[in-house]
Amino acid sequence: MEKIICKKTSKSNGELLDSDNAFWKSCAKVKVETTGTPLANQPSPYIKGVYDEKKIGAVKELSVFSVHNTENIFFYFEWSSSNPNREIGDINVFPDGLGVLFPFGAIDQTQIKEMGSKEYPTNSWYWRPDFKEKPKNQVAHGLSTSTYTKKSSVQSHSSWNNKAWRLVMSRPLKVSGKDEETVEFKPGGTIGIGFAVWEGNNGERGGVKAFSKEWRELVLEG
Amino acid sequence: MAGEENTLTAREKELAKGFEAAKDNLRKSDKQVGMVMDLNKCIGCQLCSMACKTLWTNMEGREYMWWNKVNTMPGKGSPKDWEKMGGGYKVKFGGKVMEPIRGKHPTRKEFGDMWTYNWNDVITNKAGEVHLQAKNPDGTTPDWGMNWDEDQATGKYPNSFYFYLPRICNHCAYPACLDACPRNAIYKREEDGAVVIDQDRCKGYRFCLEACPYKVIYFNFIKDVSMKCIFCYPRLEQKVPNACARQCTGRVRWVGFVDDPKSLIYKLVKVWKVALPLHSEYGTQPNVFYIPPLAPPRIGTDGKLDSSKPRIPREYLRFLFGPEVDASLDIMNTELQKVKNGGKSELMEILIAREWTHMFGPYTVDPATLERKPDKKGAYSREDLTSLLENKKI
Ligand code: SF4
Ligand code: SF4
């Protein structure tokens, strides 16, 4: 399984939660290929019947980098989007978006294509430009079941320029409380990780998106 | 289009089965409520729209919504030109195959945005200096609204015509919205078949707005969820009829169970077969039915009544209500004639609706008799109001 190393750094939260910080520019990002979700996985007969599978998944690649400073974990993302959709301006306008997915349990038991199952649920962090840098924390037990938890400790900082989004999502390594069911990160440990990107301009929302077909292993430096 | 049957993996086939079963389940209901509206009696007063607005859509993000609206026909309706926006189904093999048709999202301006007026400027300036103007939230001047083409007739005087078409969600038996939702947030209520959107499950993806061929779903921009007519189910639960129906000036609306042979709805739809669904070719099997407009006779060039052809072209009524409209109008004409000749007609008795409370089937409770606590600060109860009035405080 392909690995993504989450490097340990001594940089401050403030420096890191800044998508334009020079640090992110210079780091050696991992390229992740993303593809459109298959129609077979759409729980809606309407989408299955009228959408064209070949047109789903406008974003083909994501650049990812991750670090932790023993307190918080940070994910940096970069992807091209020539027309950013920042808001739901109208009924036919969909904002861009990015999601990071983690299995709560064993990677090999958790279906990335189906966002997990009853027995093997997934946790995801969902960023959208209209969420005002407060990404949502979600739990899913399979397709069409993802639900926002009451609380989310995920923070973000994003910018769009040169036809690309730059985004940092961050969160304390460990979060507790019953209102935020979520995964825990342990320095020295590993966890599965997956990605999804929505190109609003292509009408992408919900299960109509681009995603990484396979789990990667996120290895946190001790 | 989905991959061919034989290229699907075993898991994909299993998923497909599960998805279908989920939708079948959401579509199920033990009973089906419905409404019949008599277009011969609707006077376009919009009291129904206002009843609905004050009850359901005067809240945050809902201000531009009209879960009940009355459109002038033939007209572009609301959203503007909704009949050209697609959605619904191509029904094949007698309903064994329901092939969804791609629909278009209406825009906010096609619905008509929530515009405001420059009242203050008009009042605080010298008379005639500033004119009353409407502005959309984005500063543009509105050019469409809920009944923008109000009372615009078609045809030439003295044979021009228009009529009103009140519209709500049709609480369809095969709702395209329900099928479209990837979150399984839309379902038919088991107890009455009303189609509702679970506001906690809805994530505002708006596939339902695309798929509903009647374009009666709205998007709440503040709450990021889709919303529509709920057939006043909280009232039904208290045996109170829908606000639009109870408030109707014209005794236009009957409410009841479509599948109950004793209901007047059943009589109008199934026995007399005069009440017809709007655009049944959309395939969603609506549970709102209309008594088509008979319209007054034409006036000939000699100034005399000309009954050789109808005032409202039959083609247009067939477009709206299908070929069954001919039989419906014939039956009504026959029954009307019977009464004119001094006879009796069960159908005409129902349509006249002498006892308006009989129009609502099992929903006989007067909402004023319910025990209610004002839920908002500053809202008055009936008693408060009476005592304030008696003490001349207001
Ligand atoms: S009229 Fe539209 S929103 Fe209402 S049930 Fe039918 S398809 Fe759904
Ligand atoms: S209240 Fe009745 S008469 Fe008035 S517009 Fe509505 S349906 Fe027509």
Side-chain angles (χ1 to χ4, degrees):
Chain A
M1 195 175 301
E2 211 180 310
K3 286 186 170 45
I4 297 178
I5 309 296
C6 172
K7 297 223 179 247
K8 191 171 158 183
T9 174
S10 55
K11 291 201 178 301
S12 70
N13 294 335
E15 280 173 278
L16 294 168
L17 192 59
D18 171 4
S19 58
D20 297 317
N21 193 294
F23 170 75
W24 298 117
K25 259 183 209 127
S26 59
C27 62
K29 287 144 221 130
V30 177
K31 301 255 186 236
V32 175
E33 189 197 329
T34 52
T35 45
T37 44
L39 281 180
N41 280 19
Q42 300 293 345
S44 149
Y46 172 77
I47 300 176
K48 254 189 184 177
V50 307
Y51 274 64
D52 180 352
E53 193 168 88
K54 292 190 287 292
K55 291 190 183 143
I56 300 176
V59 177
K60 307 286 181 215
E61 191 183 70
L62 270 179
S63 297
V64 185
F65 197 73
S66 174
V67 294
H68 75 86
N69 59 9
T70 67
E71 188 194 339
N72 288 300
I73 189 162
F74 299 83
F75 295 98
Y76 173 84
F77 304 99
E78 209 178 291
W79 72 97
S80 16
S81 171
S82 35
N83 292 298
N85 276 11
R86 296 171 199 274
E87 279 176 64
I88 309 173
D90 207 335
I91 297 166
N92 55 1
V93 178
F94 302 93
D96 297 332
L98 186 133
V100 204
L101 191 70
F102 308 100
F104 276 105
I107 302 187
D108 53 353
Q109 299 291 326
T110 314
Q111 285 287 334
I112 190 169
K113 282 188 197 168
E114 298 176 21
M115 302 202 51
S117 59
K118 260 209 182 86
E119 300 77 27
Y120 294 95
T122 55
N123 175 213
S124 60
W125 302 355
Y126 178 34
W127 167 89
R128 259 176 29 191
D130 61 326
F131 286 167
K132 314 236 175 315
E133 307 295 17
K134 288 244 161 277
K136 312 263 188 203
N137 182 67
Q138 311 190 98
V139 175
H141 292 87
L143 292 166
S144 84
T145 67
S146 67
T147 336
Y148 300 146
T149 55
K150 265 200 194 131
K151 242 189 92 201
S152 166
S153 309
V154 187
Q155 285 182 293
S156 71
H157 183 258
S158 58
S159 51
W160 181 90
N161 47 47
N162 293 331
K163 302 197 167 196
W165 276 110
R166 284 162 194 80
L167 161 71
V168 179
M169 278 205 256
S170 116
R171 213 205 62 185
L173 293 174
K174 191 177 156 92
V175 167
S176 49
K178 65 167 172 37
D179 288 341
E180 188 175 4
E181 206 186 345
T182 185
V183 293
E184 182 185 337
F185 302 93
K186 293 191 186 98
T190 60
I191 189 170
I193 188 167
F195 311 92
V197 209
W198 290 264
E199 172 59 54
N201 215 34
N202 191 35
E204 293 178 13
R205 73 276 198 200
V208 178
K209 64 188 176 192
F211 79 122
S212 59
K213 277 208 245 180
E214 270 115 38
W215 291 114
R216 262 68 173 180
E217 213 167 9
L218 182 75
V219 184
L220 277 79
E221 282 183 354
Chain B
M1 292 290 142
E4 291 295 312
E5 221 29 46
N6 52 16
T7 64
L8 292 178
T9 64
R11 176 61 188 148
E12 284 171 343
K13 279 185 195 156
E14 198 182 328
L15 278 177
K17 252 200 192 152
F19 295 153
E20 273 168 39
K23 291 300 183 195
D24 282 343
N25 214 23
L26 296 168
R27 254 191 309 264
K28 251 199 247 149
S29 70
D30 295 338
K31 283 170 144 189
Q32 181 63 59
V33 275
M35 198 182 275
V36 170
M37 307 194 202
D38 186 351
L39 301 186
N40 295 289
K41 291 161 90 183
C42 177
I43 56 168
C45 65
Q46 306 281 5
L47 211 60
C48 46
S49 307
M50 292 320 290
C52 180
K53 172 133 297 285
T54 45
L55 188 56
W56 301 119
T57 64
N58 60 356
M59 287 156 250
E60 225 186 5
R62 307 187 196 181
E63 296 88 344
Y64 85 108
M65 302 181 190
W66 294 100
W67 294 356
N68 179 100
K69 56 194 137 206
V70 184
N71 289 153
T72 300
M73 302 299 279
K76 293 194 161 76
S78 55
K80 190 179 184 178
D81 273 328
W82 64 271
E83 285 158 304
K84 294 178 186 158
M85 289 184 182
Y89 300 95
K90 198 182 260 173
V91 182
K92 291 179 161 174
F93 310 111
K96 282 203 189 76
V97 175
M98 301 291 276
E99 214 175 84
I101 297 170
R102 182 139 198 179
K104 191 174 126 359
H105 285 103
T107 63
R108 215 173 149 127
K109 282 188 185 148
E110 282 164 341
F111 273 120
D113 221 328
M114 191 58 217
W115 62 75
T116 48
Y117 294 96
N118 55 340
W119 299 114
N120 275 341
D121 290 352
V122 174
I123 291 165
T124 52
N125 279 287
K126 240 172 96 188
E129 255 173 25
V130 180
H131 295 286
L132 190 66
Q133 270 176 343
K135 281 252 171 309
N136 281 327
D138 68 355
T140 55
T141 306
D143 60 6
W144 202 251
M146 184 261 268
N147 190 21
W148 195 264
D149 42 7
E150 181 171 4
D151 294 5
Q152 281 179 28
T154 298
K156 271 214 183 98
Y157 179 82
N159 289 316
S160 46
F161 71 94
Y162 67 82
F163 60 91
Y164 299 109
L165 182 73
R167 298 210 299 129
I168 59 172
C169 160
N170 292 297
H171 298 277
C172 306
Y174 207 97
C177 56
L178 182 154
D179 238 0
C181 178
R183 306 257 324 140
N184 288 336
I186 308 186
Y187 64 97
K188 285 183 84 67
R189 282 162 46 89
E190 226 168 275
E191 53 272 56
D192 52 27
V195 176
V196 289
I197 307 176
D198 182 333
Q199 298 289 290
D200 293 325
R201 291 207 55 77
C202 175
K203 276 190 170 176
Y205 296 153
R206 290 162 271 162
F207 290 103
C208 55
L209 277 110
E210 226 178 283
C212 166
Y214 297 93
K215 303 296 163 199
V216 290
I217 308 182
Y218 290 81
F219 181 65
N220 187 320
F221 288 87
I222 294 172
K223 306 259 186 226
D224 198 4
V225 286
S226 300
M227 293 185 156
K228 66 166 195 70
C229 158
I230 55 172
F231 211 76
C232 284
Y233 76 80
R235 287 170 69 105
L236 299 193
E237 284 175 352
Q238 305 280 327
K239 294 277 174 271
V240 176
N242 315 51
C244 56
R246 199 173 191 280
Q247 210 77 349
C248 174
T249 349
R251 302 191 183 181
V252 167
R253 302 177 182 227
W254 290 262
V255 184
F257 288 103
V258 180
D259 29 25
D260 170 12
K262 288 192 293 296
S263 76
L264 293 179
I265 299 247
Y266 185 91
K267 287 214 163 129
L268 292 169
V269 177
K270 304 246 168 89
V271 180
W272 284 99
K273 296 190 168 68
V274 286
L276 306 168
L278 176 65
H279 287 302
S280 61
E281 75 279 12
Y282 293 168
T284 60
Q285 303 167 29
N287 285 301
V288 171
F289 305 87
Y290 297 92
I291 311 279
L294 287 160
R298 290 169 58 87
I299 296 171
T301 38
D302 55 0
K304 295 205 176 105
L305 297 186
D306 166 19
S307 49
S308 65
K309 52 181 176 170
R311 177 175 288 250
I312 305 176
R314 222 22 104 68
E315 259 327 295
Y316 182 61
L317 293 179
R318 285 186 202 125
F319 163 71
L320 294 178
F321 304 111
E324 293 81 4
V325 82
D326 292 319
S328 162
L329 292 169
D330 285 350
I331 293 167
M332 280 198 292
N333 273 321
T334 310
E335 293 303 302
L336 201 58
Q337 209 46 53
K338 235 195 236 169
V339 176
K340 276 187 186 159
N341 296 340
K344 276 204 158 45
S345 157
E346 185 206 30
L347 176 62
M348 287 302 134
E349 278 304 307
I350 301 175
L351 292 179
I352 292 166
R354 287 178 214 278
E355 268 305 326
W356 71 287
T357 47
H358 293 172
M359 299 177 79
F360 313 129
Y363 306 109
T364 51
V365 173
D366 174 352
T369 62
L370 292 179
E371 226 180 88
R372 288 181 298 174
K373 290 198 188 88
D375 56 357
K376 285 181 215 151
K377 246 196 163 174
Y380 293 113
S381 72
R382 244 157 219 268
E383 293 70 37
D384 288 342
L385 264 180
T386 321
S387 84
L388 283 170
L389 281 167
E390 277 166 5
N391 299 321
K392 302 238 167 8
K393 289 239 170 76
I394 49 172

